[in-house]
Amino acid sequence: MDTCCHSSLSATLLEGFPESLPPKFLVEHLDQLLVVDLRCSQLYSLGHIRGSYSLPLKKKKLLNSEVADSYVHKWLRKLSKFVDEERLKKNCVFHVVLYDHSSTETTKWNPIWKLFNRCHQLRLFDGSIFVLNGGFSLFSHLYPKDVVGCRVIEGSEKTAALVPLFRCNMFQDSAPCKIFSFVFLGNERNASDRDTLESLQITHILIVGEELVAHFPGVYEYKQLMIRDLETQELHPFLEEAIDFIERAKYSGKVLVHCYAGVSRSAAIVLAYLIYLGNTFEESWKFLVSRKKDIQPLGNFIRQLQQYEEQCKSLQLFDSCV
C-alpha cells in the first residue's frame, strides 16, 4: 500500500503532538486527515468543520461503566469503516482527528479521554488518533472559512463573536435551572422572558458574555462580565466581581446567571461560586451536574477553575494560621 500521507505526516510533523492537534495544523493539513465530529447530528447539520464526518458520541453511555465497553466497540467499528473508505478512495493511511464542542487535551473531565485511550489500546487502524485542541468552539472562531453553516455576529468594532448557528437553536428551550433557592442558571432566552423572571422572583441578573445585552434595564439589577466562549479566555479577572454580585443578591433577592446557551460560561461562573463556598472542584462539578446535566464548560475554563480551587485552599489555610 502506498503510505505517502502516513509517512509525510507521521515522520515529521506529527511527532510533536502526542495527544492533541492545534487548529492551525488541522487547517494546513485538512485534506490529509480524517476529521470526525463527535457532537449530535443536529449540531453537525447546523455547523461543522469542512469535510468532517459525523459520528455522534453518546457521552452518557461512555460514562456508564456497565455499557461503556460494548458502546466503545460499536463506535470504533463505525470509525474503522470511515477510515477504510478513505483509504480506498485515496490509497493512503489517514490519521484521525476527533472533536466535540470544546475538546482539549484528554483530561478526566472530558469523556473523550476514555474513547481516546481505548482507540490507542485497540489499534484498529494504521494511522494515529488525535483530539482537536479547543474543539469546534475555538476552530470556528479562528477559521470561519473552513466551517460549514456558521455566521458571524459583530459585538463591537474591536471584537467579533463568532456564534455558530447551533447555539441559536439548541439549549434555548429549557427553563432556568434552580441551583440554590437564590441562584438560577439559564440562557439568553430565559433572560429575555419577563414572565419567567417574574415567576421565579428574580431581582438580579448576571450576564456572562460580551455579545449579550440587558433586556430590562431599570427593572432588574444587572452585572455584565465581558467573557467570550473561547479557549483563550481568562476567567480569573472576573471571578471576584461575579461572586460579590451573587452574594449581594443572596441577601436581597434571587439571581439569574446566564450566558447564551447556559452550558459553558455561566456554568463556569456557578462552579466558581460553589468552589468559593468551600467545595472542591470535583464536589462542585458533581453538584452542578446533578442540577443541570447538560453543562459543558470549555476545557480551559475547567483548568482555571481547578487553579481557583487551589487559590481558595491557600487563602483558607492562611486565614486559619492568622
Side-chain angles (χ1 to χ4, degrees):
M1 178 186 295
D2 180 7
T3 59
C4 57
C5 289
H6 175 71
S7 59
S8 64
L9 284 179
S10 64
T12 56
L13 298 175
L14 291 174
E15 291 179 354
F17 308 115
E19 292 184 349
S20 62
L21 287 181
K24 183 178 180 180
F25 184 93
L26 180 60
V27 168
E28 293 173 348
H29 303 279
L30 192 57
D31 295 333
Q32 296 176 279
L33 297 164
L34 179 66
V35 185
V36 180
D37 190 315
L38 303 181
R39 302 169 303 152
C40 67
S41 56
Q42 294 95 329
L43 298 187
Y44 178 84
S45 64
L46 290 167
H48 60 270
I49 295 175
R50 174 175 60 84
S52 62
Y53 285 84
S54 177
L55 190 53
L57 180 66
K58 296 181 180 179
K59 294 184 180 181
K60 288 184 179 179
K61 287 190 175 181
L62 198 60
L63 294 173
N64 185 331
S65 58
E66 295 181 357
V67 301
D69 287 342
S70 60
Y71 176 70
V72 167
H73 279 285
K74 291 179 181 178
W75 191 93
L76 287 175
R77 281 200 295 269
K78 294 178 182 178
L79 176 62
S80 296
K81 289 182 179 179
F82 286 146
V83 174
D84 290 340
E85 289 174 3
E86 287 297 320
R87 182 186 289 124
L88 290 173
K89 285 180 185 177
K90 300 184 179 180
N91 193 31
C92 58
V93 175
F94 271 75
H95 303 280
V96 177
V97 182
L98 309 175
Y99 75 87
D100 66 0
H101 174 62
S102 57
S103 314
T104 55
E105 55 270 14
T106 50
T107 66
K108 65 179 181 178
W109 300 110
N110 190 339
I112 289 181
W113 78 277
K114 288 191 175 182
L115 181 66
F116 177 85
N117 289 336
R118 187 58 57 87
C119 287
H120 276 283
Q121 292 170 1
L122 297 179
R123 302 287 298 177
L124 295 182
F125 47 88
D126 297 333
S128 300
I129 189 162
F130 303 91
V131 172
L132 175 61
N133 200 319
F136 185 74
S137 175
L138 181 60
F139 186 93
S140 61
H141 172 74
L142 296 176
Y143 304 103
K145 292 183 179 179
D146 287 295
V147 170
V148 178
C150 283
R151 64 189 176 93
V152 174
I153 293 180
E154 297 291 339
S156 67
E157 292 183 358
K158 293 183 179 180
T159 58
L162 182 78
V163 183
L165 284 174
F166 70 83
R167 297 174 68 188
C168 302
N169 297 310
M170 303 297 289
F171 310 116
Q172 287 290 298
D173 293 330
S174 60
C177 180
K178 183 178 180 180
I179 309 303
F180 294 117
S181 61
F182 59 94
V183 177
F184 290 81
L185 176 58
N187 56 42
E188 169 67 3
R189 180 170 294 179
N190 302 150
S192 64
D193 186 343
R194 183 73 179 274
D195 291 338
T196 295
L197 296 174
E198 290 184 352
S199 67
L200 297 175
Q201 299 179 319
I202 298 296
T203 56
H204 295 63
I205 297 180
L206 180 58
I207 303 172
V208 190
E210 67 171 16
E211 80 279 13
L212 306 176
V213 298
H215 293 282
F216 308 106
V219 178
Y220 304 99
E221 183 175 346
Y222 283 93
K223 164 71 75 174
Q224 183 165 11
L225 308 177
M226 298 301 185
I227 294 176
R228 308 176 75 189
D229 197 24
L230 297 175
E231 287 287 343
T232 54
Q233 176 68 58
E234 288 292 326
L235 285 182
H236 295 296
F238 302 95
L239 296 183
E240 184 176 351
E241 59 180 317
I243 290 169
D244 286 346
F245 186 77
I246 295 173
E247 282 287 280
R248 190 163 71 249
K250 177 171 70 174
Y251 295 107
S252 59
K254 298 179 180 180
V255 60
L256 171 68
V257 182
H258 82 92
C259 54
Y260 195 92
V263 297
S264 180
R265 290 172 288 182
S266 55
I269 293 299
V270 173
L271 284 167
Y273 182 67
L274 291 168
I275 293 170
Y276 163 80
L277 293 178
N279 301 289
T280 65
F281 172 81
E282 184 172 359
E283 290 168 344
S284 301
W285 179 274
K286 289 180 179 179
F287 178 82
L288 190 56
V289 168
S290 71
R291 298 294 193 273
K292 196 174 193 301
K293 299 187 184 302
D294 63 348
I295 64 166
Q296 40 184 312
L298 295 180
N300 182 45
F301 292 169
I302 290 175
R303 287 195 299 276
Q304 292 183 68
L305 290 170
Q306 291 171 324
Q307 294 170 2
Y308 180 64
E309 176 193 353
E310 294 304 314
Q311 292 175 10
C312 289
K313 286 180 180 178
S314 298
L315 287 174
Q316 290 168 3
L317 181 61
F318 175 80
D319 291 341
S320 65
C321 295
V322 175

